[in-house]
Amino acid sequence: MCRSIKTLRPPVLPEEATEEDIRAAALQYVRKVSGFRAPAAHNREVFDRAVDAIAEATAELLADLEVRGHPTRQAG
């Protein structure tokens, strides 16, 4: 796992993860998996689509997780 991706669920992150937090984690994941810090122009579209898809999946995961002792987040 990429060390710069932080846990985004409570109680590790006391407040709800922001869209910015989620997108930053998605970007770090795509960078790690692709091996590129910044894609070449011909890979930019696919790189950005991957970040979008992972951010969406992460937001859905966080919204649906049930963590004991913490209220369930509502998908939004």
Side-chain angles (χ1 to χ4, degrees):
M1 176 154 178
C2 184
R3 292 182 186 177
S4 56
I5 298 174
K6 63 183 179 179
T7 301
L8 298 180
R9 68 159 181 82
V12 177
L13 186 67
E15 69 280 352
E16 187 170 323
T18 64
E19 284 185 39
E20 185 177 307
D21 293 328
I22 292 169
R23 184 140 183 99
L27 177 60
Q28 288 302 316
Y29 176 82
V30 172
R31 285 175 172 169
K32 185 68 164 186
V33 170
S34 70
F36 296 112
R37 177 159 170 42
H42 63 278
N43 285 325
R44 170 57 66 187
E45 184 179 340
V46 70
F47 190 92
D48 290 343
R49 274 198 324 260
V51 172
D52 292 343
I54 293 165
E56 184 177 328
T58 301
E60 184 177 327
L61 170 68
L62 292 173
D64 292 346
L65 280 176
E66 293 182 27
V67 180
R68 291 183 190 169
H70 294 277
T72 302
R73 298 175 190 201
Q74 298 299 317

